[in-house]
């Protein structure tokens, strides 16, 4: 090893340590330096050096002292979550969701507007105007904005930066630059279900593999296959998802909605018959309450027999698909999307069905409700910028 490579690896180690310290404090909040040193197995002088460096950069701050039973009181170190911000947009067929997040990665503010999607310049302008008016309500300074993430219900070709397919929006081969043309910040694009999976991934440290099933007005999915955090190199905004999701050869990985559940069954909007989407999308339920899914679950709770029968049928189909996913990947299955926001109260019913279908002894405990019930896709899209930035710390 020559001197230059020894020097390079020292820089890598320093950077790795700095990044670990920031991530730890960013996640856990107010801590003392001895706590940080112990949790990360670092020496006190290293932690002191790094925290001073990060305080100088405005990413951490000293915030009072901890009570002490004797001796010197330890100073408290807190993350400065508001050092940077990112926005996320979730484009659906009939709505636009907008969120603001900061380095904490949680939703600080969100709105949802009713607006029918159109493949027109007017619609792209509407996106930019919605963002501008939302931003002006937040008082976030422009220099703190890392960028905007846009989630779409379709296949995004990240190499060519094009929305190649969206059956839901009825558009094909639209350049991403066209969609973001009026937005004056760096823009990253992602599939909506992938984005929602990234939001879950960011919130949960306890698994490396999972399948995220998005049951919204269309069905999407994402396959989480978490690798170690990459550090020390300049990465694209997309890098985080590329490294932690199974994207596939053509960016179509995880299109669970178009896996056949019932051969020759109901006509799917994609052109095929019997796709899971036709049995698992949220409209299957909300069609009985004028598109209002919350109203469906309210009436289900009230015990109306017709609603109970529809729900049972829906759960039967869902269980078949989840059982398939479990056979495929033997990992957790997270139920998300619009229906995922209501599934918690019915998890035991779902697990009972899964136990019945399982011939390999699984008890169904691998199925979980999503933790983000609102605007998960918009948040996940915004997190592309947050994660890319944290990676450079
Ligand atoms: Zn289909």
């Amino acid at each position: 090893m020559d001197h230059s490579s020894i020097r390079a690896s020292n820089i890598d180690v320093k950077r790795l340590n700095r990044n670990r310290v920031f991530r730890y404090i960013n996640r856990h909040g107010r801590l003392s330096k001895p706590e940080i040193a112990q949790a990360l197995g670092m020496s006190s002088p290293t932690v002191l050096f790094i925290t001073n460096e990060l305080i100088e950069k405005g990413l951490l701050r000293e915030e009072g002292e901890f009570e002490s039973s004797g001796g010197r009181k330890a100073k408290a170190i807190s993350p400065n979550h508001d050092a940077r911000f990112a926005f996320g947009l979730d484009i659906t067929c009939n709505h636009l969701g907008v969120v603001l997040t900061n380095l904490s990665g949680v939703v600080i503010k969100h709105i949802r507007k009713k607006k029918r999607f159109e493949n027109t310049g007017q619609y792209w302008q509407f996106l930019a105007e919605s963002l501008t008016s939302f931003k002006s309500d937040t008082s976030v300074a422009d220099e703190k904005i890392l960028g905007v993430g846009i989630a779409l219900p379709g296949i995004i070709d990240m190499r060519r930066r094009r929305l190649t397919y969206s059956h839901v929006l009825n558009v094909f081969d639209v350049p991403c630059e066209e969609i973001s043309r009026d937005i004056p910040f760096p823009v990253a694009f992602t599939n909506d279900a992938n984005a929602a999976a990234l939001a879950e991934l960011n919130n949960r440290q306890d698994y490396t593999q999972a399948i995220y099933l998005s049951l919204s007005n269309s069905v999407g999915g994402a396959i989480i296959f978490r690798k170690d955090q990459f550090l020390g190199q300049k990465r694209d905004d997309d890098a985080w998802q590329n490294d932690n999701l199974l994207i596939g050869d053509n960016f179509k990985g995880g299109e669970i909605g178009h896996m056949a559940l019932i051969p020759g069954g109901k006509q799917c909007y994609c052109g095929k018959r019997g796709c899971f989407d036709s049995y698992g999308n949220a409209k299957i339920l909300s069609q009985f309450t004028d598109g209002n899914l919350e109203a469906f679950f309210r009436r289900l709770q009230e015990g109306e027999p017709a609603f109970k029968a529809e729900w049972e049928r829906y759960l039967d189909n869902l269980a078949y698909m989840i059982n398939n996913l479990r056979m495929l990947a033997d990992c957790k299955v997270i139920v998300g999307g619009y229906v995922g926001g209501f599934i918690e109260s019915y998890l035991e019913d779902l697990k009972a069905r899964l136990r019945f279908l399982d011939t390999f002894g699984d008890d169904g405990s691998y199925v979980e409700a999503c933790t983000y019930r609102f605007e998960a896709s918009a948040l996940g899209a915004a997190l592309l910028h947050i994660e890319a930035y944290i990676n450079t710390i």
Side-chain angles (χ1 to χ4, degrees):
M1 193 182 260
D2 64 23
H3 286 294
S4 65
S5 57
I6 291 169
R7 202 169 141 258
S9 68
N10 282 341
I11 291 169
D12 288 347
V13 170
K14 275 186 185 165
R15 185 165 193 157
L16 183 73
N17 283 341
R18 187 166 62 224
N19 202 277
R20 284 179 67 212
V21 168
F22 180 76
R23 283 182 187 276
Y24 191 77
I25 301 170
N26 195 40
R27 186 163 294 279
H28 293 92
R30 199 166 177 265
L31 294 162
S32 71
K33 284 170 220 165
E35 280 173 324
I36 300 161
Q38 199 188 6
L40 299 178
M42 288 180 189
S43 71
S44 296
T46 303
V47 170
L48 178 67
F49 180 81
I50 292 172
T51 49
N52 283 343
E53 214 178 14
L54 292 171
I55 288 167
E56 224 164 90
K57 284 184 168 188
L59 293 166
L60 299 180
R61 58 171 171 253
E62 284 186 335
E63 206 172 52
E65 290 172 332
F66 285 103
E67 287 303 317
S68 158
S69 51
R72 223 166 59 188
K73 287 181 178 174
K75 282 197 177 120
I77 304 279
S78 290
N80 180 14
H81 286 148
D82 287 342
R84 293 290 186 281
F85 294 87
F87 292 96
L89 304 180
D90 178 35
I91 296 175
T92 76
C93 203
N94 291 308
H95 290 92
L96 174 70
V98 189
V99 305
L100 172 71
T101 187
N102 60 10
L103 296 180
S104 70
V106 302
V107 173
I108 299 169
K109 186 177 165 67
H110 67 99
I111 55 160
R112 195 160 182 83
K113 290 179 163 187
K114 204 166 168 64
K115 173 83 177 174
R116 192 158 179 81
F117 174 85
E118 288 166 24
N119 182 11
T120 63
Q122 268 176 338
Y123 186 83
W124 315 140
Q125 216 177 332
F126 159 78
L127 289 184
E129 284 165 6
S130 301
L131 181 68
T132 308
S133 75
F134 180 77
K135 182 169 83 73
S136 65
D137 293 340
T138 63
S139 71
V140 172
D142 279 10
E143 62 270 18
K144 289 189 171 182
I145 298 172
L146 296 168
V148 180
I150 298 185
L152 288 150
I155 311 295
I156 314 279
D157 183 330
M158 293 175 207
R159 272 189 299 267
R160 294 164 57 233
R161 284 189 63 88
R162 292 177 99 90
L163 169 62
T164 49
Y165 285 90
S166 176
H167 290 103
V168 175
L169 301 178
N170 195 24
V171 289
F172 304 93
D173 208 28
V174 181
C176 290
E177 272 60 39
E178 183 77 14
I179 299 169
S180 60
R181 66 177 203 189
D182 297 322
I183 298 175
F185 299 102
V187 179
F189 286 85
T190 178
N191 166 270
D192 56 354
N194 285 356
L198 292 174
E200 288 290 329
L201 187 74
N202 190 55
N203 198 34
R204 298 275 303 262
Q205 302 296 310
D206 57 337
Y207 55 74
T208 52
Q209 299 162 30
I211 291 181
Y212 181 87
L213 186 53
S214 174
L215 306 171
S216 293
N217 284 346
S218 58
V219 173
I223 304 161
I224 296 170
F225 190 67
R226 180 180 228 147
K227 296 182 197 147
D228 288 335
Q229 304 284 356
F230 44 82
L231 292 163
Q233 329 159 19
K234 176 91 180 83
R235 303 287 299 236
D236 300 332
D237 293 334
D238 296 334
W240 184 45
Q241 63 176 322
N242 294 350
D243 278 15
N244 288 307
L245 300 180
L246 194 63
I247 300 282
D249 290 342
N250 300 291
F251 310 100
K252 292 182 201 159
E255 281 295 332
I256 296 163
H258 304 290
M259 288 166 70
L261 184 71
I262 297 176
K266 286 199 235 176
Q267 180 67 50
C268 178
Y269 63 85
C270 78
K272 202 166 71 180
R273 284 188 172 274
C275 292
F276 173 58
D277 192 297
S278 308
Y279 302 88
N281 75 55
K283 289 189 288 189
I284 296 293
L285 304 170
S286 65
Q287 63 179 329
F288 299 104
T289 44
D290 284 332
N292 183 338
L293 189 64
E294 202 180 341
F296 176 91
F297 280 100
R298 201 168 45 239
R299 293 181 65 179
L300 177 63
Q301 284 286 343
E302 286 163 7
E304 287 193 42
F307 284 77
K308 194 166 184 309
E310 289 302 334
W311 177 240
E312 300 269 317
R313 194 159 28 234
Y314 183 93
L315 272 185
D316 287 345
N317 288 323
L318 178 60
Y320 266 103
M321 182 45 79
I322 292 177
N323 175 251
N324 284 342
L325 298 174
R326 176 70 174 180
M327 294 318 299
L328 174 74
D330 188 30
C331 63
K332 274 189 196 305
V333 177
I334 301 162
V335 182
Y338 300 166
V339 176
F342 296 93
I343 201 77
E344 187 82 57
S345 315
Y346 307 95
L347 269 185
E348 289 311 315
D349 296 343
L350 182 57
K351 285 177 188 173
R353 283 167 168 80
L354 291 169
R355 277 195 294 275
F356 177 74
L357 292 174
D358 202 293
T359 46
F360 288 77
D362 267 333
D363 63 0
S365 59
Y366 59 86
V367 70
E368 292 185 5
C370 59
T371 48
Y372 282 107
R373 297 181 178 186
F374 304 101
E375 301 299 356
S377 294
L379 176 64
L383 289 175
L384 291 172
H385 289 284
I386 297 292
E387 197 45 43
Y389 175 75
I390 289 179
N391 211 48
T392 65
I393 291 171

